Amino acid sequence: MRTENMNIVDRIRTAVLPLAAGLVMAAATSCERQTDAAMGDAAGLAAAHGNARLEVRTRAAADQPGDAEAPALSYPIQVYVFRGDACAALQNIGDAGQQLSLTLPEGQYQLAAIGGASATDYVLPAAGEATPASIVALREGHSHHDLQTCLINSVALEDGQTNTVTLGMERRVMLLRSVTIGRVPSAATAVSVSVSPLYGALTAGAALADGGQAYTIALERQSDGRTWTAAPEAYLLPPSAQPVTVSVSITTAEGTRTYTYASQDELEAGWRITLSGTCTDDVDVELTGTITAPAWKGERTITFGVGSGGSGQPGQPGNSGQPGDSEQPGDSGDSGQSGEAPAEGALYEHCYVVSATTLAGSGTRCLLLSPKAATTGMSYSAAQVAAGLADTFVAGLIATAAPDDTSVTSWRLPTRAELDQIQAVRAAATTALEADGGTKIGLYDSYVIGSPGAWQGYSPGMGTDPAAGFLDNDKVRPVATVDFP
């Protein structure tokens, strides 16, 4: 009787060609430590009694239409064959021209494959010592590779029969492509970014292990003197716990200040990550994280802010820690204006001035509210939003609801904290806007807040937490942050 045991993860396609049929158990490395006394020495039993053949093939993820970077297998592939907690065989697939063929005693086995873990970069459990819990540890000073794994819990071998198993390899790492922090104070002498907690290792049984690790990258100053970048192209194992902490450390002659944000967005293996941040002033850092996945994962964008006061933890200025309350691109006041700053509660180019805050040093930062709003007219679920399907649609609504006759261009959707600010001045803002031809702000209106890939519906008048996704009767009302000298 022949059974097919397949564990195909993310639809996988690249096949491994057959190795010469003479690669049998006599060439494999046996394990010395056995928990099944009747089994004895695996190699000896295989030679004396083993008459069940196990053939192992591996396949990589199937590419999607238009995927210019079709995934491929990561070599070498270590294949552990376990019987209970004991290792029955360990073999290595070095390239696409090899296939495993083992002769073993009949029985139930577990197969674990780890791709991309070479003996040069990892400490691999030896055949005579391996158990499913044994750690595949990264060697000191070395970096992770494109690690891929597969685990098949039950493979039945019968005497005189051949069982062919196809291992569908699953990517277990994220790829941090680049990090950029802009508008860093010119006095800075060093800038670094850290992400934690991450898993640090795998096990021989293809499980994640050694959680709580941190990855830190030092950035380099660019020719403009204010931008610091790094392009690590680093493979990282996924977070070992949520939320994920992103920390930015800026060193000057006065010491090092670290701004930390606890991200509620789940980072997963299989995603390509770009981090781009902007210092909004000498005590605030705004970070924007873009996560782009291979074709089989889609695309996700997250935006988060790091508050002042050194820690940037929820509750600090600039980061209330509430859902939807993350800083947006443009909160730095990039669309600077000339002339005198308008007063809070006044109209500026037909827009209502929600707040006017004096900046450290000089200048005023104003939060402007558009005189117009647009109704979405269409619902998007949380899953659709996370997949980026609503991004173009919302961008069009922002353009529609932005004022027509203003010099301000950086229109975006408000954060939860900003919408709460608007709610606090709702009556006065409605009076001023309607007198100028604008539209009112309804007491119980629900608005879309957030950023691409993380849009949420929120009604400040109802006082409930934002809901992932948005409904067809939610509204879009843009805001803009403007700096005046």
Side-chain angles (χ1 to χ4, degrees), residues 19 107 110 141 162 165 173 185 190 246 258 264 305 308 370 382 408 421 473 482:
L19 181 67
Q110 180 186 72
T162 297
V165 175
V173 291
V246 179
T258 299
Q264 298 297 329
S308 59
S370 172
V408 179
Q421 279 185 283
N473 61 345
V482 180

Side-chain angles (χ1 to χ4, degrees), residues 9-10 12 59-61 71-80 92 112-125 134-139 142-151 168-176 198-210 213 233-238 268-271 294 296-297:
V9 179
D10 293 332
I12 308 176
R59 299 197 305 176
L73 285 169
S74 187
Y75 292 100
I77 299 174
Q78 311 292 333
V79 179
Y80 290 90
N92 175 291
I114 303 174
S118 68
T120 301
D121 297 300
Y122 294 85
V123 179
L124 301 173
S134 297
I135 298 296
V136 178
L138 187 65
R139 294 186 184 275
H142 291 246
S143 300
H144 283 300
H145 289 256
D146 186 7
L147 294 175
Q148 302 168 5
T149 66
C150 180
L151 174 66
M169 304 299 289
E170 175 188 9
R171 178 171 281 116
R172 304 304 296 271
V173 291
M174 309 177 294
L175 176 61
L176 180 59
L198 305 174
Y199 284 106
L202 296 171
T203 69
L208 293 164
D210 195 15
Q213 304 300 310
E233 292 289 329
Y235 290 106
L236 307 177
L237 287 170
E268 299 174 307
W271 296 88
W296 63 89
K297 287 277 191 175

Side-chain angles (χ1 to χ4, degrees), residues 387-450:
L389 301 180
D391 292 349
T392 301
F393 176 72
V394 173
L397 290 174
I398 294 173
T400 299
D404 302 317
D405 49 354
T406 176
S407 59
V408 179
T409 58
S410 57
W411 294 99
R412 57 178 175 81
L413 294 192
T415 65
R416 173 177 177 166
E418 289 170 338
L419 202 53
D420 286 340
Q421 279 185 283
I422 295 167
Q423 181 69 14
V425 297
R426 181 191 62 81
T430 293
T431 299
L433 289 171
E434 287 189 320
D436 194 55
T439 60
K440 72 175 183 179
I441 306 168
L443 176 59
Y444 298 112
D445 284 348
S446 180
Y447 295 90
V448 181
I449 61 175

Side-chain angles (χ1 to χ4, degrees), residues 2-18 53-62 73 75 77 79 93 98-101 110-114 149-157 162-170:
R2 174 176 174 173
T3 62
E4 295 290 331
N5 291 275
M6 304 181 70
N7 180 21
I8 300 178
V9 179
D10 293 332
R11 301 189 306 271
I12 308 176
R13 181 173 87 169
T14 305
V16 178
L17 301 177
R53 182 172 296 276
L54 173 65
E55 294 181 351
V56 180
R57 298 186 177 95
T58 53
R59 299 197 305 176
L73 285 169
Y75 292 100
I77 299 174
V79 179
I93 301 176
Q98 295 184 12
Q99 170 189 316
L100 278 184
S101 181
Q110 180 186 72
L111 268 66
I114 303 174
T149 66
C150 180
L151 174 66
I152 297 182
N153 285 308
S154 180
V155 178
L157 297 182
T162 297
N163 192 333
T164 301
V165 175
T166 300
L167 300 177
M169 304 299 289
E170 175 188 9

Side-chain angles (χ1 to χ4, degrees), residues 84-441:
D85 286 337
C87 179
L90 165 60
Q91 285 203 1
N92 175 291
I93 301 176
D95 55 47
Q98 295 184 12
Q99 170 189 316
L100 278 184
S101 181
L102 306 174
T103 301
L104 296 167
E106 66 177 0
Q108 290 285 335
Y109 294 87
Q110 180 186 72
L111 268 66
I114 303 174
S118 68
T120 301
D121 297 300
Y122 294 85
V123 179
L124 301 173
E129 303 172 351
T131 71
S134 297
I135 298 296
V136 178
L138 187 65
R139 294 186 184 275
E140 185 175 356
H142 291 246
S143 300
H144 283 300
H145 289 256
D146 186 7
L147 294 175
Q148 302 168 5
T149 66
C150 180
L151 174 66
I152 297 182
N153 285 308
S154 180
V155 178
L157 297 182
E158 294 190 10
D159 188 56
Q161 302 295 317
T162 297
N163 192 333
T164 301
V165 175
T166 300
L167 300 177
M169 304 299 289
E170 175 188 9
R171 178 171 281 116
R172 304 304 296 271
V173 291
M174 309 177 294
L175 176 61
L176 180 59
R177 311 197 77 170
S178 65
V179 182
T180 300
I181 305 294
R183 295 178 63 185
V184 175
S186 56
T189 58
V191 177
S192 65
V193 173
S194 179
V195 181
S196 66
L198 305 174
Y199 284 106
L202 296 171
T203 69
L208 293 164
D210 195 15
Q213 304 300 310
Y215 175 83
T216 302
I217 181 72
L219 280 58
E220 295 183 357
R221 190 197 307 267
Q222 302 304 297
S223 59
D224 65 357
R226 300 289 304 278
T227 302
W228 292 68
T229 67
E233 292 289 329
Y235 290 106
L236 307 177
L237 287 170
S240 57
Q242 295 289 346
V244 179
T245 296
V246 179
S247 299
V248 180
S249 296
I250 300 176
T251 301
T252 66
E254 299 177 354
T256 300
R257 298 190 66 179
T258 299
Y259 307 88
T260 301
Y261 173 77
S263 171
Q264 298 297 329
D265 297 278
E266 185 178 6
L267 303 183
E268 299 174 307
W271 296 88
R272 298 191 295 260
I273 306 170
T274 297
L275 294 178
S276 178
T278 301
C279 294
T280 58
D281 53 43
D282 59 352
V283 293
D284 198 29
V285 174
E286 173 191 305
L287 290 179
T288 300
T290 302
I291 305 176
T292 305
W296 63 89
K297 287 277 191 175
E299 183 173 325
R300 180 188 302 162
T301 301
I302 59 171
T303 302
F304 50 92
V306 178
S308 59
S311 70
Q313 293 298 325
Q316 296 292 339
N319 178 17
S320 72
Q322 297 298 325
D325 189 25
S326 54
E327 298 295 334
Q328 304 290 323
D331 280 357
S332 58
D334 288 335
S335 51
Q337 302 293 300
S338 60
E340 185 177 354
E344 192 171 289
L347 291 180
Y348 176 79
E349 296 185 354
H350 306 288
C351 303
Y352 187 77
V353 182
V354 178
S355 64
T357 305
T358 301
L359 298 174
S362 63
T364 302
R365 178 165 298 161
C366 294
L367 177 64
L368 306 181
L369 175 66
S370 172
K372 301 191 298 179
T375 302
T376 60
M378 184 177 295
S379 298
Y380 278 84
S381 67
Q384 290 173 318
V385 167
L389 301 180
D391 292 349
T392 301
F393 176 72
V394 173
L397 290 174
I398 294 173
T400 299
D404 302 317
D405 49 354
T406 176
S407 59
V408 179
T409 58
S410 57
W411 294 99
R412 57 178 175 81
L413 294 192
T415 65
R416 173 177 177 166
E418 289 170 338
L419 202 53
D420 286 340
Q421 279 185 283
I422 295 167
Q423 181 69 14
V425 297
R426 181 191 62 81
T430 293
T431 299
L433 289 171
E434 287 189 320
D436 194 55
T439 60
K440 72 175 183 179
I441 306 168

